[in-house]
Amino acid sequence: MNIVPIINTNDAVVPPPEPNSDLQGVISIKDNDSLAARLAVEMKADLIIVLSDVEGLFDSPPGSDDAKLIDIFYPGDQQSVTFGTKSRVGMGGMEAKVKAALWALQGGTSVVIANGTHPKISGHVITDIVEGKKVGTFFSEVKPAGPTVEQQAEMARSGGRSLAALQPEQRAEIIYHLADLLTDNRDEILSANKKDMEEAEEKGRLAPPLLKRLSLSTAKLNSLAIGLRQIAASSQDSVGRVLRRTRIAKELELEQVTVPIGVLLVIFESRPDCLPQVSALAISSGNGLLLKGGKEASNSNQILYRLTQEALALHGVKDAVQLVNTREEVEDLCRLNKLIDLIIPRGSSQLVRDIQKAAKGIPVMGHSEGICHVYVDSEASVDKVTRIVRDSKCEYPAACNAMETLLIHRDILRTPLFDQIIDMLRVEQVKIHAGPKFASYLTFSPSEVKSLRTEYGDLECCIEVVDGVQDAIDHIHKYGSSHTDAIITDNEVTAEYFLQHVDSACVFWNTSTRFSDGYRFGLGAEVGISTARIHARGPVGIEGLLTTKWLLRGDNHVVSDFSEQGSMKYLHENLPVPHRNIS
Amino acid sequence: MNIVPIINTNDAVVPPPEPNSDLQGVISIKDNDSLAARLAVEMKADLIIVLSDVEGLFDSPPGSDDAKLIDIFYPGDQQSVTFGTKSRVGMGGMEAKVKAALWALQGGTSVVIANGTHPKISGHVITDIVEGKKVGTFFSEVKPAGPTVEQQAEMARSGGRSLAALQPEQRAEIIYHLADLLTDNRDEILSANKKDMEEAEEKGRLAPPLLKRLSLSTAKLNSLAIGLRQIAASSQDSVGRVLRRTRIAKELELEQVTVPIGVLLVIFESRPDCLPQVSALAISSGNGLLLKGGKEASNSNQILYRLTQEALALHGVKDAVQLVNTREEVEDLCRLNKLIDLIIPRGSSQLVRDIQKAAKGIPVMGHSEGICHVYVDSEASVDKVTRIVRDSKCEYPAACNAMETLLIHRDILRTPLFDQIIDMLRVEQVKIHAGPKFASYLTFSPSEVKSLRTEYGDLECCIEVVDGVQDAIDHIHKYGSSHTDAIITDNEVTAEYFLQHVDSACVFWNTSTRFSDGYRFGLGAEVGISTARIHARGPVGIEGLLTTKWLLRGDNHVVSDFSEQGSMKYLHENLPVPHRNIS
């Protein structure tokens, strides 16, 4: 690729551009912008990068209240731009740059105008542009159909507000309708999904577990519809619930009520069933939603999105849910911190980690790792140990709440219980990795662990020996991921010590780690499991998609009346809260 | 400064180093590391930058579970390092690099070993190092007294856990004791503060409002002690409160309880009274705390920190609160995402914005802006308008909850009410800026606003005209900061419409915006006001420093028993929650 980078310098000898220079034909060279455009076209460059002291081309003068950076500028849009004062760097000003850019575009050279004034990141800017990332303003001849992702986010914001303003019954109706549409349009959905499956198999890009997640079936659609009806049924009491009421003073009453968070971005891989499910959760909680699915499921996602739109149209709130074009880069979406309030990745640990890294100033809800422990205490009863360990590891080893490390009290080594555990794991074909302390006790030798922080996600686990409950807790704090950790013991004091002191989202006594799940916890639909420490922790129900606002109703109250010499006193009296219906 | 950068290349012609080469005197040149060290010392370079393919020197082989990057390496510490296998780049291996580095250090040249393999950020690495940022491993002759900030964060984590394990009464005792210590040591505190004030005045660095915030007085200390005793009194019921109980199945009970968040980093400017207040909040909520105060208050902070330590020693939990050395850069602290769970900046909007930008993967709680609106509806009653607008703007104009923009219904223009508002603002010496629509109505002409998003923080405000309640709401959504917005009207339907539709943390009817405050809301001690949309929103009490965990107590329960063919059924029965005492 031929690239002509132009860095503006204050080349004062070049005369300023005249207002009506000729764009067609030969461009008059009046400044370095026109010079560069001419040169680039002459040498048939593919791209000119024009580095200025502003981020790119704005639709109004940069710095004004409404100014927005234009990501892609199409020649036909020229009228929509108001030019401001000239750039402080260079003579051309933005208008001259745009003229030069349009001329170059006509000549077959693409143009990017971007900010080059941060010496440390200019290197980045150029490589980012060459890699096709969204930087500055790109000049293009071809205008794609449909809105930009920024426009979609704004539509989701206002659509979400309309959704939140509906009656709870109306939101429920939309979700019920969506459930019906899934059943009624089963054949069309399955045939779109078949197309995705065939393409994926042809290209051989997807691993078998991903292929399995990509595929839809009548059974999957039926259980999806059942889940949606549950969400609809429980959506009556989510938005607008009063959590707290306080009489601040006579005729001054404060209320804290639940409200939607705003605009959610949900990024999901493979599983097209995510689309209606997540949409239902957003509808139920009155949130605007941006959906970003994987390219591999695009046919399935298109039809499911169309049905979601049809359901939303029931109450005129189609804008609330937006499917983002598959070409949009996840990384670019994660930068829209003024437009998106919360990102929820639904997929592999790697996806979550990538998004946590990419998210610039937007909170991310999700667990990147589930390194769950089961600690077998010296006072564990024999009948519980094999049952709970088997369920924790073998019932569904790919789940994030499956056990990865088995901690065994030293006193159990070389007892019949220990042999039973090992036998059970062998029968279940679980590959054992020995922690360093366990390895030192062994005469037989399973492979030693590479790291005590491994999430196997398969029929494999690590076994390590600990000196007692405190040592187990220390191990969990050092190597765990604060997801779910369990103790097996018949000593209640030891159990309570473990429950109180283990600093994880879920801490269990004499139960399988696999109970760590929104549905099993009775939270209704599960939004996800969060290992974050703020907002929501552990299995998250629809409440994780809500925040609160404070409403204060007064009658001419001012704070100066409450000063020491004032006429008013704070009462701060708790008022009864309407009964909260936990479904 | 003379700097010798070395970028490792696979220079296979250089023979590998011998194990016992002489560090003293002349170094034998066996690889490019020793060559560089020799050259740098010969030319009296101030610094060698050695770029490798690892982040720097680790205390164990990089990649192993316990490996930690050493920020500053002191020659005496050599024994504490375990060298791993050789670097894939270059011949030297880390041991050879360290030898060369130590030799250079003896010769008077400082050394930094850092990662140079990411082509895009290598430029950064070198400039960052030259600017003295914490990158890679710095070799230094002088070992500073005291722990590193990473060690302090770990001490705060384990100290916080000890604090959380205390009885609520014990945490309260520590806070009461701290309150007493503040009163008992008043003279010493005030004399330390006087020293800070004198130094600040001498240097003339601080603006008068900052000087005012820096100064302590007997009155300030007394009200601080009163505040601390309130926090102590209300701390009985914060940690370990049961929020929700569910019977999942027979003998399988789930409990959601409040727990501390973990380790908080509080960054504060000027105001040394922040130190004991924030410490009391952290102690009450069982959180570990890193405190980072401004250099200008270092004498005051030192004595206040000593007293906090003395109070914590009452129950052996001194480690829970750590004062971070004033030399540590805020930016470096904001990168410690594995050690810090929440950052709370206490200071100017600029500080909050800077920290929001710097925080890498750590949530930040705080409001960066308070652009609050009062909307005067066409049905507002005359007696309320001037009172509420005066209180909202003039009572304390520097507060974040003060009004910045007054929205006036078009029908009020040129009525006696309008004249009253303008007269009141003139009497109070409030400078008026006209919004574009208001300006077009005016014959007289106050200065037109530069931006409708301005936070004046002074006796200045913007006035804009709107067509009605919907137009007011649209204006607030477009230009506001979602902090606090109020409506003045006697029409209840209009008021409720405003309360339901304005998407801000606090929405008020016929009251001053200044009520938006934790104390006035009856939340007890105020942690801050949050304009974030997740975790905590609006005025935040001690609950903002808490998260939850889920405790599940069973008796040999496994999920496989709950399958379709299984013997168990989910009950999901709500159980009564012990009475919640909102103080």
Side-chain angles (χ1 to χ4, degrees):
Chain A
M1 205 202 292
N2 277 322
I3 299 171
V4 179
I6 301 175
I7 297 169
N8 259 324
T9 47
N10 209 335
D11 43 355
V13 289
V14 182
E18 278 161 29
N20 291 311
S21 62
D22 188 16
L23 269 180
Q24 300 296 121
V26 175
I27 191 169
S28 354
I29 296 176
K30 292 167 177 169
D31 50 23
N32 57 359
D33 302 315
S34 44
L35 174 64
R38 176 75 181 270
L39 176 64
V41 171
E42 286 293 334
M43 62 185 279
K44 298 192 169 55
D46 295 306
L47 179 69
I48 317 181
I49 299 173
V50 182
L51 296 178
S52 173
D53 64 343
V54 288
E55 304 310 312
L57 184 60
F58 287 79
D59 58 355
S60 330
S64 68
D65 270 347
D66 299 314
K68 269 181 210 152
L69 181 68
I70 299 172
D71 291 319
I72 307 182
F73 183 82
Y74 309 100
D77 286 354
Q78 208 178 346
Q79 285 68 27
S80 69
V81 175
T82 319
F83 291 101
T85 49
K86 283 181 189 173
S87 158
R88 274 163 293 138
V89 182
M91 297 301 294
M94 192 49 86
E95 196 165 0
K97 284 185 184 41
V98 172
K99 275 191 181 163
L102 291 172
W103 191 88
L105 199 59
Q106 281 181 1
T109 299
S110 300
V111 183
V112 173
I113 300 181
N115 192 338
T117 54
H118 308 301
K120 271 202 197 170
I121 57 165
S122 300
H124 273 235
V125 168
I126 293 172
T127 47
D128 283 352
I129 291 169
V130 172
E131 287 170 10
K133 290 198 182 144
K134 224 178 202 174
V135 179
T137 301
F138 179 66
F139 285 69
S140 164
E141 287 281 11
V142 197
K143 189 169 184 168
T148 65
V149 65
E150 288 81 4
Q151 288 165 338
Q152 285 190 293
E154 276 163 23
M155 284 155 80
R157 166 93 51 203
S158 71
R161 282 178 180 150
S162 307
L163 191 59
L166 295 179
Q167 294 303 310
E169 301 74 37
Q170 294 174 306
R171 286 192 292 270
E173 271 170 37
I174 294 172
I175 302 170
Y176 281 123
H177 189 40
L178 177 56
D180 293 343
L181 287 171
L182 291 181
T183 318
D184 298 348
N185 294 273
R186 196 186 54 199
D187 295 344
E188 206 184 334
I189 298 169
L190 293 179
S191 100
N193 185 247
K194 206 176 150 213
K195 222 166 137 191
D196 284 329
M197 292 292 291
E198 282 166 3
E199 280 174 21
E201 276 161 7
E202 246 168 58
K203 290 184 191 155
R205 280 180 316 158
L206 292 185
L210 281 176
L211 262 185
K212 202 177 151 197
R213 283 186 212 155
L214 177 58
S215 95
L216 292 175
S217 62
T218 304
K220 262 197 193 178
L221 286 178
N222 285 345
S223 80
L224 184 61
I226 293 170
L228 257 52
R229 290 193 182 98
Q230 284 171 352
I231 295 173
S234 66
S235 72
Q236 308 285 336
D237 193 32
S238 52
V239 179
R241 196 173 65 231
V242 179
L243 299 182
R244 186 180 181 128
R245 284 177 68 215
T246 309
R247 178 171 290 129
I248 306 257
K250 196 162 165 280
E251 293 185 67
L252 183 63
E253 279 189 24
L254 180 70
E255 232 179 51
Q256 186 182 22
V257 299
T258 57
V259 293
I261 286 179
V263 175
L264 315 176
L265 166 63
V266 176
I267 300 166
F268 58 106
E269 295 173 320
S270 261
R271 295 181 43 184
D273 43 328
C274 247
L275 195 153
Q277 197 216 6
V278 165
S279 298
L281 290 167
I283 294 164
S284 168
S285 57
N287 281 289
L289 176 63
L290 289 179
L291 286 161
K292 164 77 178 150
K295 212 181 294 177
E296 67 286 350
S298 64
N299 292 300
S300 317
N301 287 342
Q302 278 301 337
I303 162 85
L304 292 169
Y305 178 59
R306 213 194 67 212
L307 298 175
T308 308
Q309 290 286 296
E310 196 178 328
L312 287 163
L314 189 66
H315 290 293
V317 288
K318 272 171 84 165
D319 281 358
V321 179
Q322 300 280 335
L323 183 63
V324 176
N325 199 295
T326 48
R327 283 172 318 186
E328 291 291 339
E329 293 291 335
V330 168
E331 221 179 276
D332 291 328
L333 298 173
C334 289
R335 285 198 197 110
L336 301 173
N337 64 325
K338 285 183 185 150
L339 300 170
I340 293 167
D341 299 305
L342 181 65
I343 303 178
I344 307 176
R346 305 266 294 225
S348 66
S349 302
Q350 192 53 47
L351 176 78
V352 181
R353 271 195 300 270
D354 288 348
I355 285 166
Q356 282 171 337
K357 220 177 260 174
K360 304 280 179 228
I362 312 177
V364 177
M365 187 158 77
H367 66 282
S368 48
E369 277 173 321
I371 303 171
C372 304
H373 298 75
V374 174
Y375 164 57
V376 181
D377 187 50
S378 56
E379 296 176 74
S381 79
V382 175
D383 66 310
K384 288 170 192 159
V385 174
T386 46
R387 242 172 80 82
I388 292 175
V389 172
R390 182 195 292 114
D391 196 77
S392 297
K393 179 71 250 182
C394 314
E395 208 252 350
Y396 185 30
C400 61
N401 54 16
M403 179 192 85
E404 303 297 356
T405 298
L406 178 64
L407 298 174
I408 291 187
H409 193 291
R410 200 180 29 175
D411 295 352
I412 294 177
L413 287 176
R414 303 197 187 89
T415 63
L417 172 58
F418 176 74
D419 296 336
Q420 277 183 32
I421 299 172
I422 299 295
D423 286 348
M424 180 276 289
L425 292 173
R426 282 200 180 136
V427 168
E428 298 283 350
Q429 300 187 294
V430 176
K431 185 173 173 197
I432 298 172
H433 303 265
K437 279 194 251 168
F438 182 50
S440 72
Y441 279 99
L442 294 176
T443 45
F444 76 96
S445 181
S447 65
E448 196 172 322
V449 287
K450 289 206 185 72
S451 163
L452 290 163
R453 288 200 188 95
T454 307
E455 185 175 14
Y456 297 100
D458 209 338
L459 283 175
E460 295 185 48
C461 77
C462 165
I463 299 184
E464 183 55 314
V465 176
V466 291
D467 293 339
V469 65
Q470 186 60 53
D471 196 21
I473 293 169
D474 292 344
H475 181 107
I476 290 168
H477 286 165
K478 191 162 179 189
Y479 301 110
S481 66
S482 303
H483 189 296
T484 299
D485 300 291
I487 183 173
I488 310 178
T489 185
D490 282 348
N491 184 323
E492 192 176 336
V493 176
T494 308
E496 285 302 322
Y497 188 87
F498 186 87
L499 290 172
Q500 299 311 322
H501 286 81
V502 170
D503 188 11
S504 295
C506 302
V507 195
F508 294 176
W509 174 26
N510 283 350
T511 73
S512 164
T513 55
R514 298 266 299 120
F515 282 102
S516 185
D517 169 279
Y519 170 69
R520 290 172 195 154
F521 273 15
L523 303 179
E526 182 178 277
V527 172
I529 297 183
S530 168
T531 49
R533 303 182 68 94
I534 69 160
H535 186 58
R537 196 175 182 216
V540 183
I542 202 125
E543 290 184 40
L545 302 184
L546 298 170
T547 181
T548 63
K549 73 176 177 186
W550 299 89
L551 303 179
L552 183 63
R553 297 177 176 93
D555 182 26
N556 208 359
H557 289 78
V558 294
V559 302
S560 53
D561 286 348
F562 291 80
S563 67
E564 267 179 62
Q565 309 80 12
S567 56
M568 304 281 283
K569 285 265 165 292
Y570 288 110
L571 298 176
H572 292 155
E573 197 183 310
N574 296 319
L575 298 174
V577 167
H579 178 65
R580 181 184 159 188
N581 176 24
I582 303 174
S583 61
Chain B
M1 205 202 293
N2 277 321
I3 299 169
V4 178
I6 301 176
I7 297 169
N8 261 324
T9 49
N10 207 334
D11 41 356
V13 289
V14 181
E18 279 160 29
N20 291 310
S21 63
D22 189 14
L23 267 181
Q24 299 297 119
V26 174
I27 191 170
S28 354
I29 296 176
K30 293 165 176 171
D31 50 23
N32 59 357
D33 302 316
S34 45
L35 173 65
R38 176 74 183 270
L39 176 65
V41 171
E42 284 294 332
M43 63 185 279
K44 298 193 170 56
D46 295 306
L47 179 68
I48 316 181
I49 299 173
V50 180
L51 296 178
S52 173
D53 65 343
V54 288
E55 304 309 314
L57 184 59
F58 288 79
D59 58 355
S60 331
S64 67
D65 269 348
D66 300 314
K68 268 180 209 153
L69 181 68
I70 300 171
D71 292 320
I72 308 182
F73 183 81
Y74 310 101
D77 285 354
Q78 207 177 346
Q79 285 68 30
S80 69
V81 176
T82 318
F83 291 102
T85 48
K86 282 182 188 171
S87 158
R88 274 162 294 138
V89 182
M91 298 300 294
M94 193 48 86
E95 196 165 2
K97 284 185 182 44
V98 171
K99 276 192 177 159
L102 291 171
W103 190 87
L105 199 60
Q106 280 181 3
T109 299
S110 300
V111 182
V112 173
I113 300 180
N115 192 338
T117 55
H118 308 303
K120 269 202 197 170
I121 58 166
S122 299
H124 272 237
V125 168
I126 293 172
T127 48
D128 283 352
I129 290 169
V130 172
E131 285 170 13
K133 290 197 181 146
K134 225 178 203 175
V135 179
T137 302
F138 179 66
F139 285 69
S140 164
E141 288 280 12
V142 198
K143 189 170 183 167
T148 65
V149 65
E150 286 82 4
Q151 288 165 338
Q152 286 190 293
E154 276 163 21
M155 285 156 79
R157 168 90 51 200
S158 71
R161 282 179 180 151
S162 307
L163 191 58
L166 294 179
Q167 293 302 310
E169 301 74 35
Q170 293 174 306
R171 287 192 291 271
E173 271 171 36
I174 293 173
I175 303 169
Y176 281 123
H177 188 40
L178 177 56
D180 293 343
L181 286 171
L182 290 180
T183 318
D184 298 349
N185 294 273
R186 195 187 55 200
D187 296 344
E188 205 184 334
I189 298 169
L190 293 179
S191 101
N193 184 247
K194 207 177 147 209
K195 224 167 134 188
D196 284 330
M197 292 292 291
E198 283 166 3
E199 281 174 21
E201 277 162 6
E202 245 169 58
K203 290 183 192 157
R205 281 181 314 159
L206 292 186
L210 280 176
L211 261 184
K212 203 177 152 197
R213 283 184 212 157
L214 177 58
S215 96
L216 292 175
S217 63
T218 305
K220 263 197 194 179
L221 286 178
N222 286 346
S223 79
L224 184 60
I226 293 170
L228 257 52
R229 291 192 182 97
Q230 284 172 352
I231 295 173
S234 66
S235 71
Q236 307 284 337
D237 193 30
S238 51
V239 179
R241 195 173 66 233
V242 179
L243 299 182
R244 184 181 183 128
R245 285 177 68 215
T246 308
R247 178 171 292 127
I248 307 257
K250 196 161 169 279
E251 293 185 69
L252 183 63
E253 278 189 25
L254 180 70
E255 232 180 52
Q256 186 183 22
V257 299
T258 58
V259 293
I261 286 180
V263 175
L264 316 175
L265 166 64
V266 176
I267 299 167
F268 57 106
E269 294 174 321
S270 263
R271 296 181 43 185
D273 43 328
C274 248
L275 194 152
Q277 197 216 6
V278 166
S279 299
L281 289 169
I283 293 164
S284 168
S285 56
N287 281 291
L289 177 63
L290 288 179
L291 285 161
K292 164 76 179 150
K295 213 183 290 178
E296 66 287 349
S298 63
N299 292 298
S300 316
N301 286 343
Q302 277 302 336
I303 161 87
L304 292 168
Y305 179 59
R306 216 194 65 214
L307 299 175
T308 307
Q309 290 287 297
E310 197 177 327
L312 286 163
L314 190 66
H315 289 293
V317 288
K318 273 170 84 164
D319 281 357
V321 179
Q322 301 279 335
L323 183 62
V324 176
N325 199 296
T326 47
R327 283 173 317 186
E328 290 290 340
E329 295 291 335
V330 168
E331 222 179 276
D332 290 328
L333 297 174
C334 289
R335 286 199 197 110
L336 302 174
N337 63 326
K338 284 186 186 148
L339 300 170
I340 294 167
D341 300 306
L342 182 65
I343 302 178
I344 307 176
R346 306 267 293 225
S348 65
S349 302
Q350 192 54 47
L351 176 78
V352 182
R353 272 195 298 271
D354 289 348
I355 285 167
Q356 282 170 338
K357 220 178 262 176
K360 305 279 180 228
I362 312 177
V364 178
M365 187 158 77
H367 64 281
S368 49
E369 276 173 321
I371 303 172
C372 303
H373 299 74
V374 174
Y375 163 57
V376 181
D377 187 49
S378 57
E379 296 175 75
S381 79
V382 176
D383 65 311
K384 287 169 192 158
V385 175
T386 47
R387 242 173 80 82
I388 291 174
V389 172
R390 183 195 291 114
D391 196 77
S392 297
K393 180 71 249 182
C394 314
E395 208 252 350
Y396 185 31
C400 61
N401 54 16
M403 179 192 85
E404 303 298 355
T405 298
L406 179 64
L407 297 175
I408 290 185
H409 193 290
R410 201 180 29 173
D411 294 352
I412 294 175
L413 286 176
R414 304 199 186 90
T415 64
L417 172 58
F418 177 74
D419 296 336
Q420 276 183 34
I421 299 172
I422 299 295
D423 286 348
M424 180 277 290
L425 292 173
R426 282 203 177 134
V427 169
E428 297 284 349
Q429 299 187 295
V430 177
K431 186 174 171 195
I432 296 171
H433 303 266
K437 280 193 251 167
F438 184 49
S440 72
Y441 279 99
L442 294 175
T443 45
F444 76 97
S445 179
S447 64
E448 195 172 323
V449 287
K450 289 205 185 71
S451 164
L452 290 162
R453 288 199 188 94
T454 307
E455 184 175 14
Y456 298 100
D458 209 338
L459 283 174
E460 294 185 49
C461 77
C462 166
I463 298 184
E464 183 55 314
V465 177
V466 290
D467 293 339
V469 65
Q470 187 59 54
D471 197 20
I473 294 170
D474 292 344
H475 181 107
I476 289 167
H477 287 166
K478 189 161 181 190
Y479 301 110
S481 66
S482 302
H483 189 295
T484 300
D485 300 292
I487 182 174
I488 311 179
T489 185
D490 282 348
N491 183 323
E492 193 175 336
V493 175
T494 309
E496 285 302 322
Y497 188 86
F498 187 88
L499 290 172
Q500 299 312 323
H501 287 80
V502 171
D503 186 11
S504 296
C506 302
V507 196
F508 294 175
W509 174 26
N510 283 349
T511 71
S512 164
T513 56
R514 298 268 298 119
F515 281 103
S516 184
D517 168 278
Y519 171 69
R520 289 171 196 155
F521 272 16
L523 305 180
E526 182 177 279
V527 171
I529 296 183
S530 168
T531 48
R533 302 182 70 94
I534 67 158
H535 185 59
R537 195 174 182 216
V540 183
I542 201 122
E543 289 185 41
L545 303 183
L546 296 170
T547 182
T548 62
K549 72 176 176 187
W550 299 89
L551 303 179
L552 182 63
R553 297 178 176 92
D555 183 25
N556 208 1
H557 289 78
V558 294
V559 301
S560 54
D561 286 349
F562 291 81
S563 67
E564 266 179 62
Q565 308 79 11
S567 55
M568 305 280 285
K569 284 265 165 292
Y570 287 110
L571 298 175
H572 293 154
E573 198 183 308
N574 295 319
L575 298 175
V577 167
H579 177 66
R580 181 182 159 188
N581 176 23
I582 303 174
S583 60

